[in-house]
Amino acid sequence: MQAKVPQQGNVVIAGVGGQGVVLAGNIIADLCLSHGLDVKKAEVHGMSQRGGSVSAQVRFGPEVHNVVIEQGSLQYVLGFEWAEALRWLPLLAPDGLVFASSERILPPAAQRDRVAGGVNYPLAAFEHPRVRAVDAESLAKEAGNVKTAGVVLLGALSTELGFPVAAWRDALGRWVPKKALEANLRAFELGRAWQDTAPPKPLHSSPTQQARFRLQLEEAWCKGCSICVDVCPERIWQLDALEIARPTAPERCTGCRICEKLCPDFAIDVVREQESDLLHLAGGA
Amino acid sequence: MTTTAKALLRREMMPHILCPGCGHGIVMNTMLRVLARRYDNLNNVALVAGIGCSSRIVGYIDANTLHTTHGRALTFASGLKLARPELKVIVVTGDGDGLGIGGNHLIHAARRNIDLTCILFNNETYGMTGGQLAPTTVREAFTTTSPAGNTEPHFDAAALATAAGASFVGRGQAFRPDALEEVLERALDHRGFSFVEVMTDCTEYFGRKNSLGGGSDLLFTQSRSDEEVSRDLSEWPSLRPGEGWQVRETQPIGVLSEDSRPAFEESLGLPGYKRKET
Ligand code: SF4
Ligand code: SF4
Ligand code: SF4
């Protein structure tokens, strides 16, 4: 059943650099304009080179004076990246909807503990009644071009934001490159036929977290001077009740060896794990 | 400490006697790393030391070690080197031992340009004997024998060695072990008298008496800038660390001077040394 053509509303498209966030905003704005609506659009980008947020905000109606979307009035969020989508929840209207790709792209800043592959991705297991997790990446692959994930989400949005399907297709035709149009139209259809594909997928493109360094302590040599406690950039060492150094979170060790080099009592040994040990840890052959 | 460096220790002697957080341990740690990189075993290396906390460390290293009398490490080492020129001789001494009691021997070893390496641990005090004033103690610093603050100027050990004719002079800090490692490598590569002054810390006496804290607090003072020192002093007027902190930071580190004039052994034409005229 086709929803009613909206007379006013707003949409936020959120993602990271390179995902086509700005393009998707242009398509929606164009669609609204083609229905004689007044449109205001704002974009936040420029941090995209560093894996930072990119967003586009579109407001439309008979007459729009201001681009700002007030708290509690945001109608639709198209999230091209899971965490970027969830950032907008505070603005969402009670009946608003979030279509969030379950794809997760790790921003550099999320690599808090600086162990390669060790990540701290927020909201990994998040559920919210107004958030729909869409496996846009798989659907885009099915459409024949992984870059059409954003259009999958536009397809999903089109089932709620009731402009005529033909108008959506025309708008797409005006904005996507000609040779990719076919795949984009397929992606749009797949998005329309979308089903909520929660739960979110496991982390995208990040190796599993593994301790690559083992911290060994020559207990009888440690004199509890606390130099290691103060110099470790990862704050791994602590003194126990007997004033002996103990590694509290050895898996966070980056192998910088500062503790080893500054221990006056040679008590610390930072051992790089051999490949074979890693295989063993991973339960491999 | 890496396995290869650890293999150079006399394990049965460990743990060593140095106080918790003593900077000497860090310098020794660095020395062992350098030695482990250069040698599989220390059979052809002789470590000669005088008396003091720093001199004590040679007892823990599985090399040919000689623990001598106060201030005379360089004289024993010179004799040893001339009798056994094939040995790599390294002298480990402190500021009290090498500059106070044995200052005379230092300038003459430098003047002769004898091919050995002298590593002088400068902790600005006599640690082992109870924290007395040393020739390296900075003005206003408190020691057991300067309870009202030191009134004498201090020696700049590296400048002294350069003036006396050492053909290699470098300086390092316990706080910057990587930089120290590099200076030690270069010193050991050098042919002729190489002198390395290492700024280290006596937590037990110098740190305590001058309210510089122990362990890492004291260690971090080696990286203090003048601004930080003046800020600390204005915030904590009861502190009276004298010029100590400033001296630590404003002293340059690295290789300070190097020249290739013939070593003493070369002018004597000793075995293993091609004769060169001075
Ligand atoms: S630096 Fe060494 S001696 Fe000091 S507390 Fe740490 S492990 Fe112990
Ligand atoms: S090597 Fe030592 S100082 Fe560096 S991260 Fe690991 S525990 Fe911390
Ligand atoms: S007395 Fe001072 S120099 Fe000697 S071991 Fe203790 S802290 Fe180190």
Side-chain angles (χ1 to χ4, degrees), chain A residues 216 218 220-227 230-231 257 259-270, chain B residues 1-2 6 9 11 14-18 20-22 25-26 28-29 33 174 177-178 215-216 219-220:
Chain A
Q216 267 175 211
E218 198 83 57
W221 295 4
C222 171
K223 293 184 186 140
C225 71
S226 86
I227 286 181
D230 296 338
V231 298
R257 297 189 190 274
C259 57
E260 185 186 87
K261 289 177 178 174
L262 288 179
C263 170
D265 290 273
F266 329 138
I268 297 176
D269 211 346
V270 181
Chain B
M1 173 175 273
T2 55
K6 233 180 212 168
L9 283 172
R11 274 192 79 101
M14 291 291 293
H16 57 53
I17 57 153
L18 303 177
C22 175
I26 303 175
M28 183 182 168
N29 191 335
R33 242 186 351 267
D178 288 350
S216 47
L219 193 60
F220 288 152

Side-chain angles (χ1 to χ4, degrees), chain A residues 86-161:
Chain A
L86 301 188
R87 273 184 210 281
W88 291 90
L89 281 176
L91 260 63
L92 198 69
D95 60 348
L97 261 186
V98 178
F99 300 98
S101 165
S102 53
E103 180 171 12
R104 293 162 180 200
I105 295 171
L106 191 66
Q111 246 171 338
R112 303 281 302 261
D113 61 12
R114 293 190 279 144
V115 177
V119 297
N120 182 6
Y121 187 94
L123 311 166
F126 181 85
E127 283 186 43
H128 186 281
R130 307 305 296 166
V131 177
R132 305 280 149 79
V134 187
D135 190 357
E137 201 188 359
S138 302
L139 292 172
K141 275 189 198 141
E142 198 181 322
N145 185 344
V146 73
K147 288 188 192 159
T148 61
V151 176
V152 170
L153 290 170
L154 285 176
L157 177 68
S158 74
T159 60
E160 292 282 337
L161 195 63

Side-chain angles (χ1 to χ4, degrees), chain B residues 30-39 181 184-185 188:
Chain B
T30 312
M31 275 174 62
L32 284 168
R33 242 186 351 267
V34 170
L35 290 174
R37 197 176 304 134
R38 300 171 75 95
Y39 306 104
E181 222 173 299
L184 289 178
E185 289 276 7
L188 291 173

Side-chain angles (χ1 to χ4, degrees), chain B residues 108-261:
Chain B
H108 293 295
R111 176 178 59 82
R112 280 188 203 110
N113 197 30
I114 182 162
D115 182 24
L116 47 81
T117 298
C118 175
I119 304 172
L120 185 138
F121 290 45
N122 182 357
N123 59 5
E124 300 164 57
T125 193
Y126 282 85
M128 185 171 273
T129 52
Q132 292 88 350
L133 185 81
T136 42
T137 309
V138 295
R139 260 194 233 265
E140 291 182 38
F142 298 107
T143 67
T144 322
T145 48
S146 62
N150 179 23
T151 48
E152 302 172 14
H154 70 282
F155 255 147
D156 178 336
L160 178 75
T162 314
S167 55
F168 178 103
V169 177
R171 192 188 277 119
Q173 292 176 321
F175 180 69
R176 295 184 164 90
D178 288 350
L180 175 59
E181 222 173 299
E182 212 179 303
V183 175
L184 289 178
E185 289 276 7
R186 296 262 307 267
L188 291 173
D189 283 342
H190 180 78
R191 188 165 263 227
F193 188 73
S194 50
F195 179 82
V196 180
E197 177 187 15
V198 189
M199 307 310 292
T200 127
D201 296 306
C202 172
T203 47
E204 187 57 31
Y205 292 105
F206 194 84
R208 192 157 51 84
K209 292 216 178 280
N210 292 286
S211 319
L212 295 172
S216 47
D217 288 338
L218 186 52
L219 193 60
F220 288 152
T221 62
Q222 296 191 355
S223 73
R224 285 253 157 99
S225 67
D226 289 353
E227 297 80 63
E228 284 172 311
V229 172
S230 13
R231 194 196 56 214
D232 281 6
L233 288 179
S234 59
E235 278 176 21
W236 308 96
S238 60
L239 284 186
R240 275 192 56 204
E243 295 170 9
W245 294 356
Q246 283 95 329
V247 166
R248 282 156 175 247
E249 182 53 21
T250 50
Q251 276 174 326
I253 59 168
V255 176
L256 305 177
S257 70
E258 187 170 18
D259 71 54
S260 57
R261 72 194 168 84

Side-chain angles (χ1 to χ4, degrees), chain A residues 178-283:
Chain A
K178 285 280 162 298
K179 60 181 197 299
L181 182 58
E182 220 180 296
N184 275 291
L185 290 174
R186 271 199 302 275
F188 182 76
E189 287 312 319
L190 287 169
R192 282 184 64 79
W194 147 82
Q195 299 190 351
D196 197 332
T197 50
K201 285 193 305 181
L203 284 182
H204 176 74
S205 75
S206 62
T208 47
Q209 181 169 351
Q210 269 169 357
R212 292 158 64 225
F213 296 91
R214 195 157 32 90
L215 298 170
Q216 267 175 211
L217 189 79
E218 198 83 57
E219 269 182 43
W221 295 4
C222 171
K223 293 184 186 140
C225 71
S226 86
I227 286 181
C228 56
V229 177
D230 296 338
V231 298
C232 171
E234 307 301 327
R235 295 278 176 265
I236 287 171
W237 295 97
Q238 256 168 34
L239 296 188
D240 69 7
L242 296 171
E243 306 237 305
I244 305 280
R246 301 280 175 210
T248 53
E251 70 283 356
R252 290 215 309 264
C253 174
T254 59
C256 71
R257 297 189 190 274
I258 291 177
C259 57
E260 185 186 87
K261 289 177 178 174
L262 288 179
C263 170
D265 290 273
F266 329 138
I268 297 176
D269 211 346
V270 181
V271 187
R272 178 182 268 279
E273 294 282 3
Q274 299 302 310
E275 293 289 320
S276 53
D277 295 343
L278 285 181
L279 278 177
H280 170 73
L281 284 177

